[in-house]
Amino acid sequence: MQTRPTANTTRQVADLLRSLNQAAVTTHVGPDGDAIGSAIALMYLLRSLGVKALFCHAEAMPSYLGWLVPSEPLEECPPGYDVLVVDTSRSDRIGAPHEEAVRLNLDHHEDNPLYGEYNLVDPDAAASAHIVAGLYTELGIALDKKTAEAIYTGIWADTGGFRFRNVSPETHELVANLLRAGVVPAEVYDRLNRTGTIEQLNIVGVSMANAEHYGEALISVVDEDDYERTRATELDSKDAIDRLRSVSGVEVVGHLRQVEEGTKASLRSERVNVGEIARALGGGGHKLAAGYTTRKAPQEAKEELLAALKDVVDLGSGTN
Ligand code: AMP
Ligand code: MN
Ligand code: MN
């Protein structure tokens, strides 16, 4: 049996960063605010240390996060660059091809199998960006405004705008320092939330209209017809997940989106370990925010999810 590699300390990782010459920073597929925020903050940290650092990602940046990225990401990690991965629970979810092994795996997913040579993984951190902030402190490097905005975005994203159960006094203490470094929350909020399109608005509306109530579960399915009707994409529809959490008595929310391979699912809860459910269905994530992709078409995927939820929550009479 392979032994589980031991996680490293912030000090050990700070020493590693100081020893690098050139580094490629990357993050997970389907990047969110924490993925890009923590990657960019780590890239700036490396540059402050005199390391030649690049951000690499094969996919286009989501439009609401483009402002964080100072220059077009490289589509692959260049050979000879140390590969540093942030916010990525498994190595098969890394969003840029890389020849070199993963030198650093910096993350906060509790199911992270420590796939890097160095691993800085703290499941108690609300966001990977918080772990990057800890490296700034360890290395005694002051936060400038653009770094503080990147870290703030990561924390904002993974706490649902400071609403989720992962918010702690430490979260707000860090945010106080980010504001001292120049972050203006209203400015960041506008960049993140007032840059949408009518297509996104419409598919979010369709996602809400498609929601079905099964006792303590609420599931919304969007398929190709919905994309066609709204001229939106799967990614546009993902914004709906937090809007589906408003119904009283609901313990688990599922948003199922048709994709080429089958169906992509996002699960959210305030109490139920949806990470376990997502893992059972081939995905992963956090206890209260998780996801997976199944080969099943959307309606079958809904049945599969309901079957997985049957023993976990009360599905009522099975109809809405
Ligand atoms: P999402 O619903 O896509 O916002 O994802 C919520 C959480 O679940 C994130 O932490 C993701 O990293 C994780 N997650 C989503 N899809 C997958 C998947 N297919 N495999 C493993 N983890 C996933
Ligand atoms: Mn993420
Ligand atoms: Mn994260």
Side-chain angles (χ1 to χ4, degrees):
M1 204 182 88
Q2 213 182 339
T3 49
R4 185 178 160 92
T6 331
N8 294 102
T9 61
T10 304
R11 167 67 63 88
Q12 287 168 335
V13 172
D15 289 342
L16 166 73
L17 299 184
R18 263 198 291 250
S19 75
L20 301 178
N21 291 319
Q22 41 189 25
V25 180
T26 188
T27 187
H28 61 79
V29 290
D32 50 35
D34 189 31
I36 296 175
S38 57
I40 295 299
L42 180 60
M43 182 183 78
Y44 289 145
L45 174 61
L46 290 157
R47 290 182 181 174
S48 304
L49 295 170
V51 181
K52 187 172 174 196
L54 304 166
F55 174 52
C56 307
H57 208 281
E59 298 161 304
M61 293 295 102
S63 56
Y64 73 104
L65 296 170
W67 61 276
L68 282 171
V69 185
S71 59
E72 198 61 28
L74 252 67
E75 283 183 23
E76 350 192 315
C77 302
Y81 279 65
D82 285 295
V83 175
L84 314 183
V85 181
V86 297
D87 199 44
T88 305
S89 60
R90 294 195 317 242
S91 57
D92 63 348
R93 292 181 48 79
I94 297 175
H98 54 99
E99 280 176 22
E100 317 292 338
V102 174
R103 197 81 201 277
L104 172 66
N105 156 30
L106 182 156
D107 187 32
H108 67 132
H109 290 86
E110 59 158 17
D111 55 350
N112 189 303
L114 308 184
Y115 55 83
E117 182 189 333
Y118 283 76
N119 299 281
L120 192 57
V121 177
D122 178 5
D124 292 331
S128 294
H130 201 131
I131 304 174
V132 176
L135 286 166
Y136 274 84
T137 308
E138 179 69 35
L139 286 156
I141 294 176
L143 296 168
D144 62 9
K145 182 173 178 179
K146 62 186 190 330
T147 306
E149 284 179 338
I151 293 171
Y152 182 90
T153 299
I155 293 170
W156 196 93
D158 275 20
T159 60
F162 312 104
R163 288 177 296 126
F164 298 160
R165 286 183 194 276
N166 54 1
V167 175
S168 65
E170 290 73 33
T171 312
H172 282 290
E173 277 156 7
L174 171 59
V175 168
N177 284 330
L178 299 176
L179 266 58
R180 288 188 187 102
V183 172
V184 178
E187 282 176 15
V188 178
Y189 184 88
D190 271 14
R191 288 182 218 149
L192 294 175
N193 294 287
R194 295 174 54 86
T195 55
T197 62
I198 184 72
E199 290 80 10
Q200 280 165 339
L201 187 72
N202 287 162
I203 193 77
V204 168
V206 169
S207 296
M208 292 163 83
N210 289 359
E212 292 181 286
H213 197 187
Y214 300 89
E216 292 175 327
L218 182 135
I219 301 179
S220 165
V221 177
V222 286
D223 62 18
E224 274 164 359
D225 289 344
D226 296 316
Y227 305 146
E228 204 170 312
R229 194 148 50 95
T230 54
R231 297 200 191 87
T233 64
E234 177 265 323
L235 212 56
D236 294 328
S237 78
K238 214 190 127 181
D239 287 352
I241 185 75
D242 289 321
R243 308 294 293 276
L244 297 169
R245 301 171 87 161
S246 62
V247 177
S248 165
V250 167
E251 296 283 358
V252 174
V253 163
H255 189 230
L256 305 185
R257 313 181 286 278
Q258 185 163 20
V259 289
E260 232 174 70
E261 319 86 279
T263 303
K264 245 172 142 167
S266 290
L267 304 179
R268 299 290 186 271
S269 180
E270 299 292 324
R271 179 183 70 82
V272 174
N273 188 338
V274 288
E276 241 167 55
I277 297 169
R279 268 191 292 288
L281 295 171
H286 306 283
K287 278 197 186 97
L288 302 180
Y292 60 92
T293 303
T294 157
R295 286 188 185 283
K296 292 187 163 40
Q299 287 307 320
E300 288 92 72
K302 185 175 81 180
E303 296 307 322
E304 177 184 56
L305 175 59
L306 284 168
L309 288 172
K310 186 167 54 61
D311 299 326
V312 185
V313 293
D314 180 0
L315 295 176
S317 60
T319 61
N320 43 355

